[in-house]
Amino acid sequence: DRVVNFTRLDARIDEHEILRQTLETFADFERAEDIDTLVSLRRELLTDGLGVIGAERTVEALNSGKIDQFIVATEYNAPAGWHCKSCSLLGVGATEKPCKHCGQSNLKEVNLKEEMARRTLLSGASVETIVHNVWFVRQGGVGALLRYK
């Protein structure tokens, strides 16, 4: 949906080489975008600003409608998660307890990674997938930049 680079190509090269160069350019752009996103997240975390990291804090921000950009590592293995059918709250952990918000026991187990991404998109915020970043994975592999505190 957007142009990431222009390059001059020899008209005599074959289509496989054109495709290879195009994919290489796109991969470089994606890596740079990942780094920019993580620099922004880290800056917000260090200044106690508009950033959260980890499943619990990210889900809290999502439930409050604060997320501007949901950030998730491709390697992220989400913990167990649930959705309350009574009040729609999303939670982290087992479905054995009643909902923290409404007290009902009408909880449904969900794939937390997929549900966080789905709800982010429904809220009009964006989802950024980070590919192979050791620092981010060590921090939990999931976080968000917030619209407000």
Side-chain angles (χ1 to χ4, degrees), residues 68-145:
D68 186 45
Q69 185 177 38
F70 172 66
I71 307 166
V72 62
T74 53
E75 304 91 348
Y76 177 60
N77 291 316
W82 51 267
H83 159 81
C84 179
K85 292 182 180 180
S86 299
C87 71
S88 297
L89 189 76
L90 184 62
V92 178
T95 58
E96 300 153 2
K97 304 173 189 173
C99 176
K100 295 187 266 185
H101 184 256
C102 70
Q104 299 294 315
S105 295
N106 198 8
L107 306 181
K108 176 186 173 198
E109 189 174 312
V110 295
N111 178 313
L112 192 60
K113 182 178 181 178
E114 290 178 13
E115 188 64 15
M116 285 190 288
R118 186 184 77 78
R119 289 184 182 211
T120 297
L121 293 172
L122 287 174
S123 75
S126 64
V127 174
E128 180 68 29
T129 303
I130 303 296
V131 179
H132 307 301
N133 184 281
V134 174
W135 174 83
F136 188 53
V137 171
R138 286 184 180 156
Q139 302 305 310
V142 68
L145 292 168

Side-chain angles (χ1 to χ4, degrees), residues 4-5 7 9 13 15-29:
V4 298
N5 195 6
T7 187
L9 298 173
I13 64 173
E15 60 191 46
H16 296 290
E17 180 60 18
I18 293 171
L19 181 59
R20 187 195 67 73
Q21 287 184 28
T22 301
L23 291 174
E24 186 178 301
T25 299
F26 182 73
D28 291 345
F29 173 80

